[in-house]
């Protein structure tokens, strides 16, 4: 975490958050899930997966484990009801959607969770195209699951990008195809870097850029290629995988499908812990309990269709948050500058209120961002740094499915709308408006009750649209303490930043001595890239922490 975490390895800190003495139940559940997935066999001819029914299996259980609806399982397997028998072989439609009788394009889009424009584009159809019952439509599928694609007639790089969420540039790199080479029916396209054995160095590439692209460390690349310098030249062919490890077998399930922490226990890391600048150099889980229907945010207004209850989401969120706090408590103490301080962090929006929507184009590919997903990540990073300096920290809202996320491939986070208030008694999700904002003040009041006012801070984090870069919002009658902290933040972020005072509901009557709202970044095309990149989110969290340390008198 930032420059202060160089003092010790962070492998068990992020993204684990789950202590060994508390993992038994979770590991058993994970084992059950992977036993299920390990029995799925690829049918090359149909591009589907099959599952052999075990004793005690139900359609509901298989639906939950495979993340395919019960309706789809019945349609694809020609079942009239949910009755199945031991030994029966079921098709699991992971890469296609069978049209139910009576459904039109909008119904199919809603049920499949695939935006209509994407659905039409990858199937090369229009809204006027007839949609017949039991038609198999292509749908987006995780590249990590499919791994390889055989080109069909009429397919283009744009269609493959829509289906797998991988840029054409990366697919060409993984497949050893030049930019001038056209797609040909029957051509095999590699979708993930794990299948790549070697790389032909291009002009301007470095070991660092290759390590980020293929998910291996610089030390590993030097070791695999017997290099004694980190200088490489154009035209040089480098090994990307360990030449002593055979990765050719598609049946090698044991390591490929274990949870990340299990793999970490089996394989000693080759990278020197001193080389770990931030946790983003380590593989991480973007989602814990319920992966979204599609792997990345496909459009600005998309929301994952999976419906969950506030009660179940709060149970998941509180458990994840408790383990996160325990792990952070084990980080090395860096100072006691914030000892005695209580700091409430308020990740903006969340729940039914996604906040601002934005997009950014990187390398010819468009990434879509939703404000609440990214400011929550920054809040957690800031939380960890502040605790290392002695503060007691809490959050106004919690997410049930993720903590700090290291999207090293710049995957855009899916809008899941599942955040909850940090209040066990609250049965409603976060919303905008008067009630939703005052609820955050109520949670803050409870956290700061009977605490010395002069050592209390409330900070709401946002990334709005429009010209708000460097903006710090304060209550109409803000305190001297609020002004001092705002000035510290502005000095850390941008020349020309300013304080804007008004009757903001989340700041009005807020009990903290210093209470403010910070527009950390904006959703503008020039700034959205900073939100997408975990390195930049970490840097922003560090800037906020340094401002708070300055305010508390700790900066040298």
């Amino acid at each position: 975490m930032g420059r202060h975490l160089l003092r010790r390895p962070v492998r068990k800190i992020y993204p684990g958050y789950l202590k060994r003495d508390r993992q038994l139940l979770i590991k058993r559940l994970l084992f059950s899930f992977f036993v299920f997935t390990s029995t799925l066999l690829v049918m090359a001819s149909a591009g589907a997966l099959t599952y052999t029914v075990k004793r005690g299996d139900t359609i509901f259980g298989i639906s939950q484990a495979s993340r395919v609806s019960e309706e789809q399982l019945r349609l694809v397997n020609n079942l009239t009801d949910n009755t199945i028998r031991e030994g029966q072989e079921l098709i699991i439609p992971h890469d296609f959607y069978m049209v139910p009788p009576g459904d039109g394009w909008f119904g199919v889009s809603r049920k499949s969770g695939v935006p209509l424009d994407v659905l039409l584009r990858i199937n090369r159809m229009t809204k006027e195209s007839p949609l017949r019952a039991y038609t198999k439509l292509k749908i987006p599928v995780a590249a990590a699951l499919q791994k390889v694609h055989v080109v069909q007639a009429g397919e283009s790089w744009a269609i493959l990008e829509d289906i797998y969420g991988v840029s054409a540039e990366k697919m060409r790199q993984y497949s050893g195809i030049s930019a001038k080479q056209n797609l040909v029916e029957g051509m095999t396209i590699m979708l993930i870097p794990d299948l790549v054995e070697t790389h032909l160095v291009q002009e301007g590439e470095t070991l660092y850029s290759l390590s980020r692209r293929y998910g291996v460390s610089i030390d590993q690349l030097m070791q695999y290629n017997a290099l004694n310098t980190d200088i490489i030249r154009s035209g040089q062919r480098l090994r990307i995988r360990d030449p002593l490890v055979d990765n050719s077998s598609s049946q090698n399930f044991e390591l490929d499908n274990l949870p990340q922490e299990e793999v970490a226990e089996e394989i000693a890391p080759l990278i020197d812990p001193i080389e770990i600048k931030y946790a983003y150099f380590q593989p991480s889980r973007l989602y814990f309990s319920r992966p979204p229907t599609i792997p990345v945010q496909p459009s600005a207004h998309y929301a994952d269709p999976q419906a969950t209850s506030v009660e179940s989401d709060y149970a998941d969120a509180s458990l994840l948050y408790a383990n996160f706090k325990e792990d952070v408590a084990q980080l090395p103490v860096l100072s006691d500058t914030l000892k005695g301080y209580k700091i409430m962090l308020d990740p903006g929006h969340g729940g039914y209120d996604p906040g601002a929507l934005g997009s950014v184009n990187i390398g010819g590919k468009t990434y879509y961002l939703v404000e609440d997903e990214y400011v929550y990540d920054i809040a957690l990073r800031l939380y960890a740094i502040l605790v290392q300096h002695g503060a007691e920290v809490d959050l106004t809202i919690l997410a049930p499915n993720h903590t700090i996320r290291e999207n090293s491939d710049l995957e855009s986070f899916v809008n899941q709308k599942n955040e909850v208030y940090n209040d066990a008694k609250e049965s409603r999700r976060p919303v905008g408006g008067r009630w939703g904002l005052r609820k955050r003040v109520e949670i803050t009041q409870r956290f700061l009750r009977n605490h010395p006012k002069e050592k209390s801070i409330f900070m709401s984090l946002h990334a709005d649209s429009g010209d708000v870069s460097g903006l710090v919002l304060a209550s109409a009658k803000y305190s001297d303490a609020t002004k001092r902290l705002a000035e510290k933040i502005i000095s850390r972020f941008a020349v020309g930043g300013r304080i804007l005072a008004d009757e903001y509901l989340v700041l009005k009557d807020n009990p903290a001595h210093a209470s403010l709202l910070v527009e950390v970044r904006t959703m503008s095309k020039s700034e959205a890239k900073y939100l997408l990149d975990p390195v930049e989110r970490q840097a922003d969290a560090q800037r906020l922490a340094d401002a708070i340390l300055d305010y508390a008198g700790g900066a040298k």
Side-chain angles (χ1 to χ4, degrees), residues 96-127:
F96 68 88
Y97 181 89
M98 182 172 283
V99 178
D103 276 13
W105 282 113
F106 289 100
V108 169
S109 174
R110 178 177 57 82
K111 288 184 178 180
S112 66
V114 181
L116 182 56
D117 60 334
V118 174
L119 197 62
L120 293 171
R121 190 161 56 247
I122 63 180
N123 287 280
R124 289 179 289 138
M125 294 182 176
T126 67
K127 293 179 183 178

Side-chain angles (χ1 to χ4, degrees), residues 357-360 464-466 521-529:
L357 309 173
S359 64
V360 60
D464 212 337
S465 56
R521 292 288 176 184
T522 74
M523 285 292 174
S524 66
K525 294 186 181 298
S526 62
E527 284 215 321
K529 60 186 178 183

Side-chain angles (χ1 to χ4, degrees), residues 297-362:
Q297 185 74 2
S299 65
H301 296 279
Y302 175 83
D304 192 71
Q306 298 182 78
T308 53
S309 69
V310 173
E311 292 74 16
S312 65
D313 283 339
Y314 180 80
D316 288 344
S318 57
L319 175 62
L320 200 57
Y321 185 45
N323 285 300
F324 167 77
K325 290 195 292 186
E326 288 186 13
D327 276 353
V328 169
Q330 294 190 25
L331 290 170
V333 175
L334 299 178
S335 79
D336 61 357
T337 302
L338 299 177
K339 185 176 181 179
Y341 273 86
K342 274 193 167 187
I343 302 175
M344 175 62 81
L345 299 179
D346 174 44
H349 306 282
Y352 294 131
D353 175 19
L357 309 173
S359 64
V360 60
N361 188 288
I362 300 177

Side-chain angles (χ1 to χ4, degrees), residues 481-505:
T482 296
K483 180 181 179 182
R484 284 195 296 112
L485 180 54
E487 289 172 346
K488 299 295 184 184
I489 293 171
I490 291 171
S491 70
R492 290 284 178 176
F493 272 88
V495 176
R498 62 198 187 279
I499 303 174
L500 184 63
D502 206 338
E503 294 292 342
Y504 302 109
L505 291 175

Side-chain angles (χ1 to χ4, degrees), residues 314-466:
Y314 180 80
D316 288 344
S318 57
L319 175 62
L320 200 57
Y321 185 45
N323 285 300
F324 167 77
K325 290 195 292 186
E326 288 186 13
D327 276 353
V328 169
Q330 294 190 25
L331 290 170
V333 175
L334 299 178
S335 79
D336 61 357
T337 302
L338 299 177
K339 185 176 181 179
Y341 273 86
K342 274 193 167 187
I343 302 175
M344 175 62 81
L345 299 179
D346 174 44
H349 306 282
Y352 294 131
D353 175 19
L357 309 173
S359 64
V360 60
N361 188 288
I362 300 177
K365 183 172 178 61
T366 300
Y367 298 84
Y368 296 97
L369 290 78
V370 180
E371 179 180 1
D372 68 326
E373 302 291 336
Y374 292 88
V375 294
Y376 187 81
D377 183 89
I378 294 173
L380 289 179
R381 294 169 185 273
L382 177 57
Y383 179 113
I385 300 172
L386 297 177
V387 168
Q388 287 185 279
H389 290 278
E392 181 180 348
V393 188
D394 207 355
L395 301 175
T396 56
I397 67 169
L398 304 175
N401 208 17
H402 59 85
T403 50
I404 289 175
R405 297 194 278 192
E406 302 299 340
N407 55 323
S408 55
D409 290 330
L410 301 185
E411 307 95 321
S412 56
F413 303 148
V414 176
N415 180 19
Q416 290 194 293
K417 292 185 178 293
N418 56 6
E419 292 83 10
V420 295
Y421 285 113
N422 189 5
D423 183 349
K425 297 180 180 179
E426 182 52 61
S427 61
R428 289 171 287 185
R429 288 197 191 278
V431 292
R434 180 175 295 275
W435 178 84
L437 296 173
R438 297 308 294 171
K439 181 66 185 180
R440 297 172 191 251
V441 177
E442 175 190 318
I443 294 170
T444 304
Q445 289 171 336
R446 185 169 59 246
F447 176 62
L448 297 179
R449 186 172 296 143
N450 300 323
H451 186 74
K453 186 177 179 67
E454 63 274 9
K455 286 200 171 185
S456 61
I457 295 173
F458 173 90
M459 184 178 291
S460 188
L461 304 179
H462 291 254
D464 212 337
S465 56

Side-chain angles (χ1 to χ4, degrees), residues 80-320:
T80 57
D81 56 29
N82 283 359
T83 302
I84 53 176
R85 66 181 184 279
E86 183 180 359
Q88 183 176 356
E89 191 174 82
L90 298 178
I91 295 174
I92 310 297
H94 76 290
D95 62 347
F96 68 88
Y97 181 89
M98 182 172 283
V99 178
D103 276 13
W105 282 113
F106 289 100
V108 169
S109 174
R110 178 177 57 82
K111 288 184 178 180
S112 66
V114 181
L116 182 56
D117 60 334
V118 174
L119 197 62
L120 293 171
R121 190 161 56 247
I122 63 180
N123 287 280
R124 289 179 289 138
M125 294 182 176
T126 67
K127 293 179 183 178
E128 288 70 39
S129 300
L131 190 59
R132 298 181 177 86
Y134 308 109
T135 298
K136 291 182 179 179
L137 296 175
K138 295 177 184 177
I139 59 173
V141 61
L145 177 61
Q146 193 76 6
K147 297 185 179 179
V148 174
H149 176 85
V150 178
V151 178
Q152 306 298 311
E155 288 184 331
S156 64
W157 286 115
I159 288 177
L160 298 190
E161 287 180 326
D162 281 332
I163 295 176
Y164 300 112
V166 180
S167 70
E169 180 185 12
K170 285 191 173 182
M171 285 187 280
R172 284 194 291 264
Q173 290 170 350
Y174 301 158
S175 307
I177 299 173
S178 70
K180 298 180 180 179
Q181 191 172 353
N182 296 323
L183 286 179
V184 178
E185 184 178 359
M187 180 183 291
T188 298
I189 302 299
M190 304 298 180
L191 304 174
I192 58 174
D194 291 350
L195 302 179
V196 181
E197 298 295 333
T198 63
H199 174 86
L200 186 64
V201 178
Q202 305 298 312
E203 189 70 34
E205 290 182 326
T206 64
L207 286 183
Y208 174 74
S209 66
L210 296 182
S211 74
R212 294 295 301 274
R213 178 184 301 168
Y214 294 111
V216 294
S217 72
I218 294 175
D219 281 356
Q220 287 173 314
L221 289 173
M222 294 182 69
Q223 177 183 335
Y224 300 161
N225 295 278
L227 301 176
N228 54 18
T229 176
D230 60 0
I231 298 174
I232 55 177
R233 65 183 185 279
S234 177
Q236 186 176 359
R237 185 167 292 277
L238 298 178
R239 291 183 181 273
I240 302 301
R241 304 293 159 207
D242 190 341
L244 301 180
V245 177
D246 180 11
N247 291 321
S248 61
S249 174
S250 62
Q251 303 301 316
N252 182 16
F253 177 78
E254 288 74 21
L255 290 182
D256 287 346
N257 293 291
L258 280 175
Q260 177 56 43
E261 286 203 331
E262 296 289 89
V263 175
E265 295 288 274
E266 296 289 337
I267 305 174
L270 295 178
I271 189 169
D272 185 341
I274 297 177
E275 294 285 327
I276 303 176
K277 188 176 182 182
Y278 302 127
Y280 72 86
F281 277 127
Q282 298 298 297
S284 64
R285 297 169 62 181
L286 301 187
Y287 306 94
F288 276 79
S289 56
R290 287 182 294 276
T293 305
I294 54 179
V296 296
Q297 185 74 2
S299 65
H301 296 279
Y302 175 83
D304 192 71
Q306 298 182 78
T308 53
S309 69
V310 173
E311 292 74 16
S312 65
D313 283 339
Y314 180 80
D316 288 344
S318 57
L319 175 62
L320 200 57

